[in-house]
Short mmCIF file of all heavy atoms in Angstrom, two decimals:
data_model
loop_
_atom_site.label_atom_id
_atom_site.label_comp_id
_atom_site.label_asym_id
_atom_site.label_seq_id
_atom_site.Cartn_x
_atom_site.Cartn_y
_atom_site.Cartn_z
N PRO B 91 12.22 -25.20 22.95
CA PRO B 91 10.82 -24.76 22.86
C PRO B 91 10.73 -23.33 22.34
O PRO B 91 11.47 -22.45 22.78
CB PRO B 91 10.31 -24.86 24.31
CG PRO B 91 11.44 -25.26 25.14
CD PRO B 91 12.59 -25.64 24.29
N VAL B 92 9.80 -23.12 21.38
CA VAL B 92 9.73 -21.84 20.68
C VAL B 92 9.39 -20.69 21.62
O VAL B 92 10.01 -19.63 21.58
CB VAL B 92 8.69 -21.94 19.54
CG1 VAL B 92 8.32 -20.58 19.02
CG2 VAL B 92 9.24 -22.80 18.42
N LEU B 93 8.39 -20.93 22.50
CA LEU B 93 7.91 -19.82 23.31
C LEU B 93 9.01 -19.25 24.21
O LEU B 93 9.21 -18.04 24.27
CB LEU B 93 6.71 -20.26 24.15
CG LEU B 93 6.02 -19.12 24.89
CD1 LEU B 93 5.47 -18.10 23.90
CD2 LEU B 93 4.91 -19.64 25.79
N SER B 94 9.76 -20.14 24.86
CA SER B 94 10.78 -19.63 25.77
C SER B 94 11.90 -18.95 24.99
O SER B 94 12.49 -17.97 25.46
CB SER B 94 11.34 -20.76 26.64
OG SER B 94 12.00 -21.70 25.84
N GLU B 95 12.19 -19.46 23.77
CA GLU B 95 13.18 -18.79 22.91
C GLU B 95 12.73 -17.37 22.58
O GLU B 95 13.50 -16.42 22.65
CB GLU B 95 13.35 -19.58 21.60
CG GLU B 95 14.21 -20.80 21.72
CD GLU B 95 15.65 -20.45 21.96
OE1 GLU B 95 16.34 -20.09 21.00
OE2 GLU B 95 16.09 -20.53 23.13
N ILE B 96 11.44 -17.25 22.21
CA ILE B 96 10.93 -15.92 21.83
C ILE B 96 10.95 -14.98 23.03
O ILE B 96 11.34 -13.82 22.91
CB ILE B 96 9.51 -16.04 21.24
CG1 ILE B 96 9.54 -16.82 19.93
CG2 ILE B 96 8.91 -14.67 21.01
CD1 ILE B 96 8.18 -17.06 19.33
N ILE B 97 10.55 -15.50 24.19
CA ILE B 97 10.54 -14.64 25.37
C ILE B 97 11.96 -14.20 25.71
O ILE B 97 12.20 -13.04 26.06
CB ILE B 97 9.89 -15.37 26.57
CG1 ILE B 97 8.40 -15.53 26.30
CG2 ILE B 97 10.12 -14.63 27.87
CD1 ILE B 97 7.67 -16.39 27.28
N ARG B 98 12.92 -15.13 25.55
CA ARG B 98 14.32 -14.79 25.87
C ARG B 98 14.83 -13.60 25.05
O ARG B 98 15.44 -12.69 25.57
CB ARG B 98 15.21 -16.02 25.63
CG ARG B 98 16.65 -15.86 26.03
CD ARG B 98 17.39 -17.18 25.89
NE ARG B 98 17.42 -17.68 24.52
CZ ARG B 98 18.26 -17.26 23.58
NH1 ARG B 98 19.16 -16.34 23.88
NH2 ARG B 98 18.22 -17.75 22.36
N VAL B 99 14.53 -13.63 23.72
CA VAL B 99 15.04 -12.54 22.89
C VAL B 99 14.03 -11.41 22.77
O VAL B 99 14.38 -10.29 22.42
CB VAL B 99 15.42 -13.04 21.48
CG1 VAL B 99 16.54 -14.04 21.56
CG2 VAL B 99 14.22 -13.58 20.76
N GLY B 100 12.76 -11.72 23.07
CA GLY B 100 11.71 -10.72 22.90
C GLY B 100 11.95 -9.49 23.75
O GLY B 100 11.64 -8.37 23.35
N ILE B 101 12.54 -9.69 24.93
CA ILE B 101 12.77 -8.55 25.82
C ILE B 101 13.72 -7.54 25.16
O ILE B 101 13.54 -6.34 25.28
CB ILE B 101 13.30 -9.05 27.19
CG1 ILE B 101 13.25 -7.93 28.23
CG2 ILE B 101 14.67 -9.64 27.12
CD1 ILE B 101 11.87 -7.71 28.78
N ASN B 102 14.71 -8.06 24.40
CA ASN B 102 15.63 -7.15 23.68
C ASN B 102 14.88 -6.35 22.63
O ASN B 102 15.14 -5.16 22.43
CB ASN B 102 16.75 -7.95 23.01
CG ASN B 102 17.65 -8.60 24.03
OD1 ASN B 102 17.77 -8.11 25.15
ND2 ASN B 102 18.26 -9.71 23.67
N THR B 103 13.96 -7.02 21.93
CA THR B 103 13.18 -6.32 20.92
C THR B 103 12.26 -5.28 21.57
O THR B 103 12.03 -4.22 21.02
CB THR B 103 12.35 -7.33 20.10
OG1 THR B 103 13.26 -8.22 19.48
CG2 THR B 103 11.52 -6.65 19.06
N LEU B 104 11.77 -5.63 22.76
CA LEU B 104 10.93 -4.68 23.48
C LEU B 104 11.70 -3.40 23.79
O LEU B 104 11.23 -2.29 23.55
CB LEU B 104 10.44 -5.33 24.77
CG LEU B 104 9.11 -4.82 25.30
CD1 LEU B 104 8.01 -5.13 24.31
CD2 LEU B 104 8.81 -5.45 26.65
N TYR B 105 12.94 -3.55 24.32
CA TYR B 105 13.78 -2.38 24.56
C TYR B 105 13.93 -1.57 23.28
O TYR B 105 13.77 -0.35 23.24
CB TYR B 105 15.19 -2.78 25.01
CG TYR B 105 15.29 -3.35 26.41
CD1 TYR B 105 16.10 -4.45 26.65
CD2 TYR B 105 14.60 -2.79 27.46
CE1 TYR B 105 16.22 -4.99 27.92
CE2 TYR B 105 14.71 -3.32 28.73
CZ TYR B 105 15.51 -4.41 28.96
OH TYR B 105 15.62 -4.95 30.21
N LEU B 106 14.27 -2.28 22.21
CA LEU B 106 14.58 -1.63 20.95
C LEU B 106 13.37 -0.86 20.42
O LEU B 106 13.47 0.32 20.08
CB LEU B 106 15.03 -2.68 19.93
CG LEU B 106 15.39 -2.19 18.53
CD1 LEU B 106 16.62 -1.30 18.58
CD2 LEU B 106 15.65 -3.36 17.60
N THR B 107 12.21 -1.52 20.37
CA THR B 107 11.05 -0.88 19.75
C THR B 107 10.48 0.23 20.62
O THR B 107 10.12 1.29 20.12
CB THR B 107 9.96 -1.91 19.45
OG1 THR B 107 9.79 -2.74 20.58
CG2 THR B 107 10.33 -2.77 18.28
N LEU B 108 10.41 -0.01 21.95
CA LEU B 108 9.87 1.04 22.81
C LEU B 108 10.78 2.27 22.77
O LEU B 108 10.32 3.40 22.65
CB LEU B 108 9.71 0.54 24.24
CG LEU B 108 8.57 -0.45 24.46
CD1 LEU B 108 8.45 -0.82 25.93
CD2 LEU B 108 7.25 0.13 23.97
N GLY B 109 12.09 2.03 22.86
CA GLY B 109 13.03 3.13 22.77
C GLY B 109 12.91 3.87 21.46
O GLY B 109 12.89 5.11 21.43
N ALA B 110 12.76 3.11 20.37
CA ALA B 110 12.67 3.73 19.04
C ALA B 110 11.40 4.57 18.94
O ALA B 110 11.43 5.69 18.41
CB ALA B 110 12.69 2.66 17.96
N LEU B 111 10.29 4.05 19.46
CA LEU B 111 9.05 4.82 19.42
C LEU B 111 9.21 6.13 20.19
O LEU B 111 8.74 7.18 19.77
CB LEU B 111 7.90 4.01 20.03
CG LEU B 111 7.18 3.08 19.07
CD1 LEU B 111 6.25 2.15 19.83
CD2 LEU B 111 6.38 3.89 18.06
N LEU B 112 9.90 6.03 21.33
CA LEU B 112 10.14 7.22 22.15
C LEU B 112 10.94 8.25 21.35
O LEU B 112 10.60 9.44 21.32
CB LEU B 112 10.89 6.81 23.41
CG LEU B 112 10.83 7.81 24.56
CD1 LEU B 112 9.42 7.88 25.10
CD2 LEU B 112 11.79 7.40 25.66
N ILE B 113 12.00 7.79 20.68
CA ILE B 113 12.84 8.70 19.89
C ILE B 113 12.00 9.35 18.79
O ILE B 113 12.05 10.57 18.57
CB ILE B 113 14.02 7.93 19.25
CG1 ILE B 113 14.91 7.31 20.32
CG2 ILE B 113 14.82 8.83 18.32
CD1 ILE B 113 15.90 8.22 20.94
N THR B 114 11.20 8.53 18.10
CA THR B 114 10.35 9.07 17.04
C THR B 114 9.46 10.18 17.58
O THR B 114 9.35 11.26 16.98
CB THR B 114 9.46 7.95 16.44
OG1 THR B 114 10.30 6.88 16.04
CG2 THR B 114 8.68 8.46 15.27
N LEU B 115 8.84 9.92 18.73
CA LEU B 115 7.93 10.92 19.29
C LEU B 115 8.69 12.17 19.74
O LEU B 115 8.21 13.29 19.53
CB LEU B 115 7.16 10.33 20.47
CG LEU B 115 6.12 9.28 20.10
CD1 LEU B 115 5.47 8.71 21.33
CD2 LEU B 115 5.06 9.90 19.18
N VAL B 116 9.87 11.98 20.34
CA VAL B 116 10.66 13.12 20.81
C VAL B 116 11.02 14.02 19.63
O VAL B 116 11.05 15.24 19.74
CB VAL B 116 11.93 12.64 21.54
CG1 VAL B 116 12.94 13.76 21.69
CG2 VAL B 116 11.56 12.08 22.90
N ILE B 117 11.25 13.42 18.46
CA ILE B 117 11.55 14.24 17.28
C ILE B 117 10.26 14.83 16.71
O ILE B 117 10.20 16.00 16.35
CB ILE B 117 12.25 13.40 16.20
CG1 ILE B 117 13.60 12.91 16.72
CG2 ILE B 117 12.45 14.20 14.93
CD1 ILE B 117 14.27 11.91 15.82
N ALA B 118 9.20 14.02 16.64
CA ALA B 118 8.01 14.43 15.88
C ALA B 118 7.15 15.43 16.64
O ALA B 118 6.61 16.36 16.03
CB ALA B 118 7.19 13.20 15.52
N ILE B 119 7.01 15.26 17.96
CA ILE B 119 6.06 16.11 18.68
C ILE B 119 6.42 17.59 18.61
O ILE B 119 5.55 18.41 18.28
CB ILE B 119 5.90 15.63 20.15
CG1 ILE B 119 5.18 14.29 20.15
CG2 ILE B 119 5.12 16.64 20.97
CD1 ILE B 119 5.06 13.66 21.52
N PRO B 120 7.70 17.99 18.88
CA PRO B 120 7.99 19.43 18.79
C PRO B 120 7.73 19.99 17.39
O PRO B 120 7.17 21.10 17.26
CB PRO B 120 9.48 19.51 19.11
CG PRO B 120 9.80 18.27 19.82
CD PRO B 120 8.87 17.23 19.32
N ILE B 121 8.08 19.22 16.35
CA ILE B 121 7.85 19.72 14.98
C ILE B 121 6.36 19.90 14.74
O ILE B 121 5.91 20.94 14.24
CB ILE B 121 8.44 18.74 13.95
CG1 ILE B 121 9.95 18.60 14.15
CG2 ILE B 121 8.18 19.23 12.53
CD1 ILE B 121 10.61 17.62 13.22
N ALA B 122 5.57 18.88 15.14
CA ALA B 122 4.13 18.95 14.93
C ALA B 122 3.53 20.12 15.70
O ALA B 122 2.73 20.90 15.17
CB ALA B 122 3.48 17.64 15.36
N LEU B 123 3.96 20.27 16.95
CA LEU B 123 3.43 21.33 17.81
C LEU B 123 3.74 22.69 17.21
O LEU B 123 2.87 23.57 17.10
CB LEU B 123 4.06 21.19 19.19
CG LEU B 123 3.39 21.94 20.33
CD1 LEU B 123 1.96 21.48 20.44
CD2 LEU B 123 4.13 21.65 21.63
#
Side-chain angles (χ1 to χ4, degrees):
Chain B
V92 165
L93 188 61
S94 64
E95 282 291 281
I96 294 176
I97 290 172
R98 185 173 62 81
V99 297
I101 193 79
N102 294 333
T103 300
L104 208 64
Y105 289 138
L106 179 66
T107 46
L108 288 183
L111 273 169
L112 199 68
I113 299 278
T114 306
L115 290 177
V116 164
I117 297 171
I119 291 175
I121 299 178
L123 196 58

